[in-house]
Amino acid sequence: MPEESIDHIDFDELNKKAVSQPLVKHIYTADPSAHYFNGKIYIYPSHDIESDIPFDDLGSHFAMEDYHVLSMDSIDSEATDHGIALHVDDVAWAEKQMWAPDAAHKEGKYYLYFPAKKADGIFQIGVAVSDSPTGPFKAQPEAIKGSYSIDPAVFEDEDGSYYLYFGGIWGGQLQKYRNNTYNKDNELPTPNEPALLPIVAKLTDDLLEFAEEPKEIQILDAEGNLLLEADNDRRFFEASWMHKYNGKYYFSYSTGDTHFICYAIGDTPYGPFTYGGRILEPVVGWTSHHSICALKDKYYLFYHDSSLSRGVTHLRSVKMIEIEHQPDGHIKTISPYTN
């Protein structure tokens, strides 16, 4: 539900119809990455703040400076805010824009992955480590070598391997890269060319660096063809996520300017993935960003919208709803305001 369509919204009525309510209301949170660690749910969101920076297509008005961690004792309990887990001032290589993060757990350590802009205005991805899932996290002195763009999402496979997915166009700068190399003159493909693809790299055993050169992830249509740049109802824009169901890998993502959360299904963590459909219809606010967390035999979608701020795109709130995998493996589409 993009900004241009919210002028006549009755937000009080819309919030009554919403299929879920914000998990916290004392701060604005977005881009929630949810995990089940040691019997509790931990959510790693962006922390949205007021900004006097003018709106633009590069997201300059998303001026986040730190991360908070939320936790829930159960899916029905209230969320607890554990305060600041990492601030940009404590990241030696970063200058601003602490955008969507994710987290991982291995052998008693917790790892927070985050994008930020360096002084030269280029995004990279860093990692910070803690002994606690709620932090505080201590950032590594440098960004992950070979990392770029935004929206890191880490996936732990059943064999103990960890993979980092990332990338986002427009403000996320993915359009400036080809074969992992930055060129300021690069732009988006033409409408009839294949769309830019998300990126994945396996992580080293210590989860601090890439174990390999990052690779593109193919997203295909039912005929096995790459989605085209003009197919912006289905093509990748940002917000990678990976989950596994019945032995299949589900790569989900946002279409950005068309405001859908979509998914594609594959047989390996590298893909290729065949487009499967939509998980979530558009929400209030320009952005849409999500995660999927398995709790026992149920799966939950964590997402955000701007209904609490009455449509202010850069002031968002994290929400949650159960999702349904149908017998054929496809995911039932959710309309966020249908109650």
Side-chain angles (χ1 to χ4, degrees):
M1 195 177 295
E3 283 183 323
E4 59 267 20
S5 67
I6 68 171
D7 292 343
H8 305 292
I9 288 177
D10 181 338
F11 280 99
D12 294 329
E13 186 63 26
L14 178 138
N15 285 325
K16 291 178 184 177
K17 293 180 178 179
V19 298
S20 63
Q21 296 298 315
L23 296 185
V24 295
K25 295 183 178 181
H26 65 292
I27 60 173
Y28 289 109
T29 54
D31 313 320
S33 295
H35 294 274
Y36 189 64
F37 294 146
N38 303 323
K40 291 182 67 171
I41 304 159
Y42 293 93
I43 306 157
Y44 300 85
S46 303
H47 175 205
D48 284 351
I49 58 174
E50 295 279 6
S51 170
D52 58 2
I53 299 172
F55 286 31
D56 61 29
D57 286 342
L58 300 181
S60 301
H61 47 296
F62 292 92
M64 299 88 93
E65 298 176 346
D66 61 31
Y67 298 110
H68 287 227
V69 179
L70 310 179
S71 70
M72 301 170 66
D73 291 330
S74 71
I75 203 65
D76 299 316
S77 67
E78 292 186 1
T80 298
D81 175 10
H82 295 273
I84 296 176
L86 180 68
H87 194 281
V88 68
D89 290 346
D90 298 318
V91 183
W93 60 268
E95 181 181 69
K96 60 183 178 180
Q97 291 185 292
M98 302 282 271
W99 284 9
D102 193 14
H105 171 235
K106 184 177 182 181
E107 297 174 355
K109 295 286 186 181
Y110 298 86
Y111 301 81
L112 183 70
Y113 298 87
F114 61 94
K117 275 185 179 175
K118 301 178 296 181
D120 61 6
I122 296 176
F123 273 110
Q124 273 198 273
I125 296 168
V127 58
V129 185
S130 177
D131 293 325
S132 167
T134 59
F137 288 86
K138 182 176 176 57
Q140 296 294 294
E142 297 180 356
I144 296 172
K145 292 187 290 292
S147 69
Y148 54 93
S149 195
I150 61 168
D151 291 357
V154 63
F155 170 70
E156 179 186 358
D157 208 351
E158 292 164 350
D159 65 358
S161 298
Y162 290 75
Y163 301 85
L164 194 72
Y165 299 83
F166 59 95
I169 62 175
W170 293 17
Q173 304 175 343
L174 184 62
Q175 69 274 12
K176 299 298 182 182
Y177 290 84
R178 299 294 187 275
N179 298 317
N180 302 319
T181 300
Y182 179 90
N183 184 326
K184 65 180 179 59
D185 296 324
N186 286 337
E187 296 296 345
L188 291 170
T190 62
N192 292 324
E193 291 180 324
L196 292 179
L197 298 170
I199 311 296
V200 63
K202 191 174 184 179
L203 292 169
T204 53
D205 287 342
D206 63 8
L207 305 191
L208 298 179
E209 297 289 348
F210 293 155
E212 60 187 3
E213 287 291 316
K215 301 174 172 62
E216 292 182 331
I217 302 167
Q218 292 188 339
I219 304 175
L220 310 175
D221 63 19
E223 288 72 46
N225 301 308
L226 288 169
L227 299 183
L228 300 181
E229 173 62 24
D231 190 359
N232 61 344
D233 280 352
R234 299 191 297 174
R235 64 90 175 88
F236 172 81
F237 188 102
E238 62 186 0
S240 297
W241 190 259
M242 179 67 72
H243 79 280
K244 203 169 183 179
Y245 176 77
N246 276 359
K248 294 288 187 179
Y249 295 84
Y250 286 69
F251 179 78
S252 49
Y253 57 95
S254 171
T255 61
D257 55 341
T258 49
H259 317 289
F260 302 117
I261 296 294
C262 295
Y263 69 98
I265 304 173
D267 294 319
T268 80
Y270 294 107
F273 297 93
T274 300
Y275 179 83
R278 297 175 186 168
I279 301 175
L280 184 67
E281 297 287 357
V283 298
V284 171
W286 198 93
T287 69
S288 199
H289 194 123
H290 72 297
S291 62
I292 295 171
C293 184
L295 298 173
K296 298 181 179 179
D297 58 347
K298 294 184 177 182
Y299 290 76
Y300 293 87
L301 179 76
F302 290 76
Y303 66 103
H304 68 235
D305 75 3
S306 296
S307 59
L308 183 64
S309 67
R310 306 183 79 82
V312 180
T313 271
H314 65 284
L315 297 178
R316 301 160 291 180
S317 297
V318 168
K319 296 184 168 187
M320 172 200 66
I321 189 170
E322 186 178 349
I323 63 171
E324 178 184 345
H325 294 82
Q326 298 175 317
D328 64 359
H330 286 84
I331 297 173
K332 185 177 180 180
T333 303
I334 296 168
S335 296
Y337 311 106
T338 58
N339 275 359

